Amino acid sequence: MSFALDIVRNIVAHRSAEIPDPIIDRWVFGDRVPSPLPAAHALEAVARLIENQAEYDHVGSLLDARSRKLLGDVITYRALGPVRYALPMSTPDYMDLYAKAATFRVGPSDQVFPPFLFETFAVEDQGHRLELGAWLGNIVATFLVRQYYLDGPRRIQPEAGDVVIDAGGCFGDTALAFAASVGETGRVFSFDPLPAHQAVMRANFDRNPQLAERIALVPHALSHAAGETVRFAAKGAGSFMHAQGEIEARTDTIDQLVERQGLDRVDFIKMDIEGAERSALIGARTTIARHKPKLAISGYHSEDDLIIIPMLIKRLNPDYEIHIGHHTNFEWETVVYAA
């Protein structure tokens, strides 16, 4: 049984399908009307699957049945788009989460962070009342969907007393959620190299001093090597490393952080760093080999992330079991979990 060829068959079976009123994320895409992707897009996906069949089949063999099915759905969706194929979260219930998140609004924010409206929210989370500035989508993803928390088939998430690395702090919402999870005896190290993000994070931490005591903001870019100067293209929350970028930052590694802080363990690592995940994993190779932290690694920034990242994790520590989560009804926010 070939995982890659099963996906090819699924793409072929749905290549002419048409969902009359596809459910898309209106908060992200507004009033845009989706149209069928050109046939060439699906053909390219099929060619990629056949050309790299051995790698796809290998990753499929690493996954539990639920994760394998979900990964196949995500790859099929990427090939065909929302008019031809629906993801598991393409339901009214998913969209209802935005209405629920909107009830947490408590007012405007004096900070502005395009492309979405930046507002102030108050959220009850794990026994804490959090107040923070964020996008509506942050509230949905972090506190309702809980995209970096896997409950089954294995529980992969921060627990009481854990030492956590939050790579890609952005607005500080994930750091605050992790701080609530780890409790008074836990610690969270939240990395973000962008001054605009750091300003939002500090403001949000100031609003939540009890949780902020558990968080350290590390203003560096995670990579495979520390002490290098890199540049970032200024794309707001989607800013990424680019040689001609406007923003300069210094690199760090998780292994260097562990050494500097004298940490005797790391229990959980989350990464959402706009395509730098592979490099940052290499920069955590000693930590991963020695401590086998639980992992929640974004796997959608590059076309082959969902193949390369699971294989890289297994190479860094063969004892990991790999799982897949997908947390939207469009192609973003696929997470590779390991424990």
Side-chain angles (χ1 to χ4, degrees), residues 200-216:
V200 175
M201 292 172 72
R202 290 189 176 99
N204 282 335
F205 297 162
D206 286 346
R207 291 186 175 107
N208 301 277
Q210 183 181 8
L211 293 177
E213 292 176 354
R214 308 168 190 174
I215 303 170

Side-chain angles (χ1 to χ4, degrees), residues 2-113:
S2 168
F3 177 58
L5 296 183
D6 282 347
I7 301 172
V8 169
R9 284 188 279 270
N10 201 33
I11 292 171
V12 171
H14 291 86
R15 70 190 187 280
S16 300
E18 187 162 336
I19 300 170
D21 189 18
I23 295 175
I24 66 168
D25 194 318
R26 294 297 177 191
W27 180 77
V28 174
F29 297 106
D31 294 329
R32 193 185 317 170
V33 177
S35 57
L37 294 176
H41 192 79
L43 289 173
E44 289 172 5
V46 167
R48 199 159 43 243
L49 283 157
I50 293 171
E51 181 181 356
N52 300 287
Q53 180 181 342
E55 288 82 4
Y56 280 92
D57 287 351
H58 176 60
V59 169
S61 74
L62 301 177
L63 303 175
D64 61 283
R66 182 204 62 83
S67 294
R68 193 161 49 247
K69 171 66 165 61
L70 182 56
L71 179 55
D73 284 340
V74 169
I75 295 170
T76 301
Y77 178 90
R78 288 179 175 182
L80 298 176
V83 174
R84 305 259 188 242
Y85 201 76
L87 287 166
M89 293 187 76
S90 297
T91 67
D93 287 345
Y94 170 69
M95 295 312 303
D96 287 347
L97 294 177
Y98 285 99
K100 182 176 180 179
T103 67
F104 302 144
R105 290 186 178 115
V106 294
S109 172
D110 56 4
Q111 295 170 302
V112 177
F113 217 104

Side-chain angles (χ1 to χ4, degrees), residues 230-247:
V230 294
R231 306 192 74 83
F232 280 79
K235 301 293 182 182
S239 297
F240 57 92
M241 285 189 195
H242 191 283
Q244 280 75 51
E246 306 92 321
I247 303 168

Side-chain angles (χ1 to χ4, degrees), residues 169-209:
C170 197
F171 299 150
D173 49 300
T174 52
L176 288 166
F178 295 158
S181 294
V182 302
E184 295 180 3
T185 60
R187 300 175 71 184
V188 178
F189 296 90
S190 190
F191 282 83
D192 203 294
L194 305 177
H197 289 179
Q198 294 162 20
V200 175
M201 292 172 72
R202 290 189 176 99
N204 282 335
F205 297 162
D206 286 346
R207 291 186 175 107
N208 301 277

Side-chain angles (χ1 to χ4, degrees), residues 320-337:
Y320 275 119
E321 293 181 8
I322 309 293
H323 305 274
I324 300 293
H326 188 80
H327 304 286
T328 65
N329 61 6
F330 52 99
E331 63 187 77
W332 305 342
E333 312 307 334
T334 312
V335 177
V336 180
Y337 298 93

